Amino acid sequence: MQKRTTLRGIAAATLTLGLGLAGSQALAADPIKIGLILPMTGQQATTGRQIDAAVKLYLAQNGNTIAGRKVEVIVKDDATVPDTTRRLAQELVVQEKVVALAGFGITPAAMATAPIATQSKTPMVVMAAATSAITEASPFVVRTSFTLPQAAVAMAEWANKNKIKKVVTLVSDYAPGIDAERYFADRMVLNGGTVVDKLRTPLRSPDFAPVLQKVRDAAPEALYVFLPSGQGAAFMKQFAERGLDKAGIRLIGTGDITDDDQLNDMGDVALGVVTAHHYSANHKSAANQKFVDAFKKANNGMRPNFMAVGGYDGMRVIMEALKVTKGAGGEALLNAMKGQVFESPRGQVLIDAQTRDIVHDMYFRKVERVGGELHNVEFDAIKAMKDPGKQK
Ligand code: PHB
């Protein structure tokens, strides 16, 4: 305690001195640190790879100095283990004195870290995880990914419009899957449809064979699916192997299952799959074209997916807020993140000042072959959609 007080005293003195000697060498040498915790290994490693690349691209394009100080992003690998995420966050706050925490590949990682953000008053920018409740877990959480209720409600509206009445749902059995199931099923029923079965697969090493047999037996008009980024290709393979693509059951879902990271290798089974999501690498705008070209150029041709966009926009939100606070963290930094409006590669976005959640367009997309490659081609949208999870 004694030591901490002394350190705080020194920090305050340094700050006063620094302000007195604006632009002094000593202050200029002090970096502004951001802790980026990602699954760089383990089941969600593709998410880590995409976000890390996007954050680096943002800084390369927009510069990495604020008020004459270098911004240093410290990347930590939580290996998709929430207890590790929490420990790393604690270390980054206490030892590295980061002004912001960012990343969070899965909901349990974000939930485990939220209390640390609250206690230390450190803004926590969620770039990947998408369960509605995450932003309510701490007043310091700001989200730049999306929410499952946004994609789920949009998809149910599309199904209703297209006279799809009898469906089966299949989701990953953890928080975002529960959101994806509940918000889709509730809206289907509200619109007069029927959900004849609700199937769930484990987050770790799922085997789709048993559930796909149940889908075949139930013979719905459509199967609606949410699986976390990275599981789509394995699912599509089994869907085709079991002949479900030929059985007249339409495949629909949240855009996580036709993830741009894997889509091009999924083959013909993916053709015609309709999903609702906030980002497609195929989104038609000058800003997106620039983003996709630069991302591919910097990463050996890797196509950015929706995780990359969450990372790119998250870095934007942090950097613009740091400009306002001139490098200071805490509540001031959080407040400077709230209400930001900007053009993302996904389209226009807003960080809702009340909920700290993202408001953006939910697009309807169909997988098509474009120039020899499989793409999510957007054909309609619900504009400026808020998280339905916050409108209870
Ligand atoms: C999550 O755990 O919140 C999550 C992970 C991957 C996704 C979506 C949500 O694609």
Side-chain angles (χ1 to χ4, degrees):
M1 197 61 217
Q2 182 63 39
K3 193 170 163 210
R4 221 179 282 161
T5 314
T6 315
L7 282 178
R8 215 178 283 146
I10 293 170
T14 314
L15 188 67
T16 318
L17 197 70
L19 289 176
L21 312 164
S24 79
Q25 287 297 310
L27 198 65
D30 221 11
I32 300 167
K33 294 180 184 174
I34 296 164
L36 181 61
I37 312 176
L38 292 169
M40 299 304 294
T41 54
Q43 184 169 299
Q44 301 306 120
T46 55
T47 295
R49 190 180 65 206
Q50 287 271 351
I51 294 179
D52 183 40
V55 165
K56 289 197 165 80
L57 177 64
Y58 187 86
L59 292 174
Q61 289 176 329
N62 297 279
N64 64 348
T65 46
I66 299 280
R69 292 165 67 193
K70 189 167 177 275
V71 174
E72 185 188 328
V73 177
I74 305 171
V75 182
K76 295 282 182 188
D77 175 17
D78 67 9
T80 327
V81 178
D83 283 346
T84 307
T85 322
R86 186 191 167 89
R87 177 178 54 76
L88 290 170
Q90 182 103 38
E91 286 172 14
L92 286 163
V93 167
V94 175
Q95 286 159 27
E96 300 288 353
K97 309 272 186 289
V98 296
V99 292
L101 290 164
F104 311 103
I106 54 171
T107 292
M111 286 304 201
T113 308
I116 292 177
T118 306
Q119 285 152 22
S120 64
K121 298 193 189 307
T122 308
M124 170 175 159
V125 178
V126 176
M127 297 170 158
T131 302
S132 176
I134 293 172
T135 45
E136 287 153 339
S138 165
F140 282 83
V141 168
V142 168
R143 173 156 38 204
T144 58
S145 49
F146 75 109
T147 81
L148 264 317
Q150 288 173 330
V153 167
M155 207 56 229
E157 289 298 332
W158 183 86
N160 182 50
K161 236 196 207 167
N162 287 272
K163 314 262 180 299
I164 294 171
K165 288 291 176 199
K166 182 183 168 187
V167 297
V168 169
T169 61
L170 167 58
V171 302
S172 192
D173 193 6
Y174 77 122
I178 310 307
D179 264 6
E181 176 190 282
R182 188 172 128 222
Y183 283 87
F184 177 79
D186 285 358
R187 186 57 65 99
M188 282 298 293
V189 170
L190 189 75
N191 287 338
T194 339
V195 182
V196 289
D197 209 349
K198 294 177 181 172
L199 305 168
R200 296 180 184 178
T201 47
L203 171 62
R204 313 253 167 228
S205 320
D207 175 10
F208 302 113
V211 287
L212 286 174
Q213 188 53 49
K214 285 190 182 160
V215 174
R216 188 182 259 285
D217 295 344
E221 290 159 36
L223 170 64
Y224 158 87
V225 183
F226 160 77
L227 294 168
S229 177
Q231 291 190 6
F235 169 78
M236 289 287 185
K237 191 160 169 278
Q238 293 197 30
F239 188 81
E241 277 168 7
R242 287 186 162 60
L244 280 149
D245 54 336
K246 312 248 161 28
I249 299 169
R250 276 199 86 151
L251 185 56
I252 60 176
T254 68
D256 309 71
I257 57 162
T258 54
D259 183 344
D260 272 305
D261 194 73
Q262 299 186 322
L263 178 59
N264 201 31
D265 300 319
M266 286 183 192
D268 286 357
V269 59
L271 284 171
V273 173
V274 173
T275 56
H277 229 208
H278 57 291
Y279 180 68
S280 164
N282 191 248
H283 177 68
K284 299 277 185 281
S285 74
N288 186 48
Q289 195 60 56
K290 187 170 162 241
F291 170 68
V292 172
D293 289 348
F295 189 92
K296 283 185 167 175
K297 193 159 172 242
N299 297 284
N300 264 324
M302 175 164 76
R303 190 195 285 183
N305 70 357
F306 63 95
M307 294 299 187
V309 166
Y312 191 75
D313 291 349
M315 203 56 212
R316 191 261 183 211
V317 167
I318 297 170
M319 291 297 278
E320 288 300 312
L322 281 171
K323 280 186 197 167
V324 173
T325 67
K326 300 192 171 47
E331 224 143 345
L333 187 62
L334 175 75
N335 289 336
M337 292 180 180
K338 293 178 185 174
Q340 283 194 28
V341 180
F342 58 98
E343 194 195 353
S344 150
R346 73 185 95 180
Q348 198 73 17
V349 305
L350 156 73
I351 304 298
D352 188 314
Q354 263 73 52
T355 62
R356 293 161 278 101
D357 220 332
I358 190 141
V359 179
H360 51 183
D361 297 350
M362 267 298 126
Y363 302 95
F364 297 105
R365 317 96 51 84
K366 187 187 224 165
V367 177
E368 290 175 15
R369 210 175 281 287
V370 183
E373 291 189 3
L374 293 180
H375 275 282
N376 291 299
V377 178
E378 295 167 351
F379 59 87
D380 202 357
I382 296 177
K383 301 299 267 180
M385 193 178 195
K386 289 188 172 190
D387 174 28
K390 311 276 182 324
Q391 293 156 358
K392 282 168 235 158

